[in-house]
Amino acid sequence: MQKIHDYEMELGRYLYESLLSVPNIRIYGPAPSDKCQRAALCSFNVDNIHPTDLATFLDQQHGVAIRSGHHCAQPLHRYLGVNASARASLYFYNTKEDIDRFIHALKDTVSFFHSFK
């Protein structure tokens, strides 16, 4: 179980760091560190793109599944001043290559939606 936990922490850190390369992204929560361990997931928004649009496009165009909505945390969303967020979640069966594929797909999706500006 410790190996699974350690691997999840590694994946979560890699996901967070990889998301930082996406233009106009806002990741919710503190950066992972030795003092702050995060679950292997990230909630985020991209400026001027609704999370449901992101999730739908990622699914239909890239075969990548993420969640969008309140994630049973409506009071937190109200506090953050957002109506919803997107969330990418990982587990021990995921790999860094899965994250790389997700980031590539997310950048493509952001580019697609921002092309309408």
Side-chain angles (χ1 to χ4, degrees):
M1 290 305 294
Q2 186 62 46
K3 285 183 181 182
I4 290 173
H5 173 75
D6 293 344
Y7 182 63
E8 284 183 39
M9 293 299 100
E10 179 184 338
L11 285 178
R13 191 172 294 110
Y14 187 75
L15 173 63
Y16 186 94
E17 291 168 359
S18 297
L19 280 169
L20 293 174
S21 71
V22 177
N24 304 307
I25 196 164
R26 177 166 183 199
I27 305 170
Y28 299 106
S33 68
D34 291 337
K35 292 181 180 181
C36 175
Q37 293 189 11
R38 295 175 55 111
L41 60 83
C42 285
S43 292
F44 62 93
N45 275 319
V46 177
D47 290 347
N48 301 312
I49 306 174
H50 194 279
T52 301
D53 293 336
L54 279 176
T56 301
F57 195 87
L58 283 166
D59 176 41
Q60 292 180 355
Q61 296 299 313
H62 296 282
V64 173
I66 66 168
R67 303 290 256 167
S68 64
H70 294 124
H71 319 294
C72 299
Q74 290 93 333
L76 177 60
H77 282 83
R78 242 187 328 273
Y79 174 80
L80 294 171
V82 297
N83 61 357
S85 63
R87 185 184 72 210
S89 305
L90 306 166
Y91 199 45
F92 69 84
Y93 44 74
N94 291 111
T95 64
K96 288 183 178 178
E97 290 77 18
D98 292 333
I99 296 168
D100 293 341
R101 183 170 165 249
F102 162 61
I103 295 298
H104 175 76
L106 181 58
K107 286 179 178 179
D108 180 69
T109 300
V110 170
S111 177
F112 171 78
F113 280 104
H114 284 173
S115 71
F116 296 107
K117 284 184 174 181

